[in-house]
Amino acid sequence: MSAIGENERIDVLDYLRGFALLGIILVNIGTLLAANPPAAGTADAAYWKFLYLFIEGRFYTIFTFLFGVGFYLFIHRANTKGKKGQVLFVRRMMALLLFGFVHMQFHPGEALTLYAIAGLILLPFYKVTRSVNLLFGIVMLVVLGLFAAKIFMIIPFILLGIAAGQYQVFERITHHLKATAVFTVIMLGLALGGLIFQSQSAPNFIGSAWDEAISGPLHHFLSIGITIGPVVSAFYVGCIILLIQLPFFRKLLTPLKYYGRMAFTNYLVQTVLILAAGKMLHLQSHINYFQTFYICLAIYVIQLSYSTLWFRYFKFGPFEWVWRALTYLELPPMRK
């Protein structure tokens, strides 16, 4: 969710943001529509297990890491242009906090408020050396991950994103594809081991025993998922980076790039579309987890289509434009 100029965009970041959004909605929709707990031994239970093995705690981590990358790029590029990057960033985070507060009224589990607060807290780390940010981020992530302290893991993810920006990882990614491939294979091995271990701890009962499971086997299953989440996320990121180096997949996934380019707008609109579907179709507390997948598919089609069409005519997504205006206190040109 960075507001860098049209000619300065790093496409791989947009692909990754779009990819992250695809996963985030799959988890958020269950909470927003108060999906019924799955009954043991059903397709719904199998889908729920899939969500918490491969989706939950995997995609928000990517989104948070990318927020850290955008954090660094925004200030660095503003300073390079002779502007007061840190002052602008504070104003940017205050605007994000306002958006988050409004969004929270409809989606209590939303992330924008946490991002804004974390961004303000971590502002001094912009001036910290990249090696310190990298080391501190890794150590903090490992410690918090072992304790499955999900909410606090936002901090090291953002720090690692800042470090990635300082190392210019994504600007130079095409020069390090062999290293990226090796990294991805290593992450695959670690992810498979972690997922097998987590899968073996999955509770056999959910449905009527949901409340009891929360404090027992289900809690253990979810905690393992939080601990191994960063490794699975890293594997996903490596896969996307490698895929878009191939012309066929880069073209095939082009809508994902536009989806990610207006990630801020699409994140907010996801909530609107989910709640609207729940209201119009009377789905609140009357839908199971597997059925939420069909709602997500419909939202994918809608958002990928309008995102691609939108950037034929405009430079910024609607909410990106408002956010930029609040940051710079001027109205940027919208039309191409």
Side-chain angles (χ1 to χ4, degrees):
M1 297 191 302
S2 61
I4 52 185
E6 180 71 13
N7 298 323
E8 299 176 306
R9 296 201 73 90
I10 303 171
D11 280 349
V12 65
L13 296 178
D14 288 328
Y15 280 105
L16 290 172
R17 287 190 189 94
F19 177 68
L21 281 175
L22 293 181
I24 286 171
I25 189 176
L26 292 173
V27 176
N28 285 346
I29 190 171
T31 302
L32 287 170
L33 294 182
N36 298 317
T42 63
D44 196 36
Y47 178 67
W48 180 91
K49 184 177 179 180
F50 167 82
L51 281 179
Y52 283 85
L53 281 172
F54 299 101
I55 310 296
E56 164 61 20
R58 285 68 169 127
F59 287 80
Y60 96 91
T61 55
I62 299 173
F63 209 57
T64 306
F65 170 77
L66 294 174
F67 176 82
V69 177
F71 175 133
Y72 175 79
L73 289 176
F74 177 85
I75 299 176
H76 176 71
R77 288 176 171 174
N79 288 340
T80 300
K81 294 175 183 176
K83 299 178 180 180
K84 297 179 179 179
Q86 289 168 294
V87 173
L88 288 172
F89 183 78
V90 170
R91 194 183 298 156
R92 183 171 172 77
M93 290 302 99
M94 295 305 295
L96 185 63
L97 188 62
L98 176 61
F99 278 114
F101 178 77
V102 175
H103 189 223
M104 187 186 296
Q105 310 311 306
F106 305 94
H107 183 184
E110 69 92 40
L112 302 182
T113 305
L114 289 176
Y115 285 174
I117 294 171
L120 293 170
I121 292 173
L122 294 176
L123 182 56
F125 285 85
Y126 172 77
K127 292 187 176 181
V128 175
T129 61
R130 59 189 188 179
S131 58
V132 172
N133 280 333
L134 178 62
L135 179 61
F136 192 39
I138 291 174
V139 172
M140 186 182 294
L141 182 61
V142 170
V143 172
L144 293 174
L146 289 174
F147 286 96
K150 181 179 177 180
I151 191 169
F152 296 108
M153 289 169 71
I154 287 177
I155 298 296
F157 283 130
I158 295 176
L159 274 180
L160 291 173
I162 294 172
Q166 291 172 315
Y167 278 102
Q168 296 185 305
V169 169
F170 294 101
E171 291 93 332
R172 300 172 178 175
I173 198 69
T174 55
H175 302 295
H176 302 285
L177 293 180
K178 288 185 178 179
T180 302
V182 171
F183 171 81
T184 304
V185 171
I186 293 172
M187 291 301 106
L188 171 61
L190 294 174
L192 285 175
L195 288 170
I196 291 171
F197 178 65
Q198 184 190 5
S199 179
Q200 290 174 342
S201 68
N204 293 321
F205 57 94
I206 304 177
S208 60
W210 181 271
D211 292 335
E212 292 81 359
I214 286 292
S215 59
L218 181 56
H219 175 74
H220 181 59
F221 173 74
L222 297 179
S223 294
I224 295 173
I226 293 171
T227 300
I228 69 171
V231 175
V232 181
S233 301
F235 167 66
Y236 289 167
V237 168
C239 284
I240 294 298
I241 290 173
L242 293 174
L243 276 177
I244 62 175
Q245 305 310 311
L246 305 173
F248 171 78
F249 286 105
R250 186 165 60 247
K251 184 174 181 180
L252 180 68
L253 297 175
T254 296
L256 199 62
K257 178 178 70 173
Y258 295 122
Y259 190 45
R261 186 172 291 184
M262 53 192 296
F264 186 37
T265 293
N266 283 323
Y267 177 69
L268 295 173
V269 173
Q270 279 182 357
T271 300
V272 174
L273 293 175
I274 290 170
L275 294 179
K279 183 72 173 179
M280 291 187 293
L281 302 176
H282 307 288
L283 300 177
Q284 197 75 24
S285 300
H286 294 93
I287 190 171
N288 62 41
Y289 276 91
F290 192 68
Q291 289 169 338
T292 64
F293 177 66
Y294 297 110
I295 304 297
C296 290
L297 286 180
I299 292 175
Y300 288 161
V301 172
I302 293 169
Q303 291 197 308
L304 287 167
S305 298
Y306 74 60
S307 296
T308 303
L309 182 62
W310 181 272
F311 283 107
R312 291 183 184 178
Y313 307 101
F314 302 105
K315 294 182 177 180
F316 309 103
F319 283 104
E320 283 79 2
W321 183 85
V322 175
W323 195 14
R324 190 179 182 91
L326 292 173
T327 299
Y328 293 98
L329 300 181
E330 61 183 31
L331 299 179
M334 175 66 106
R335 293 295 297 259
K336 285 187 174 180

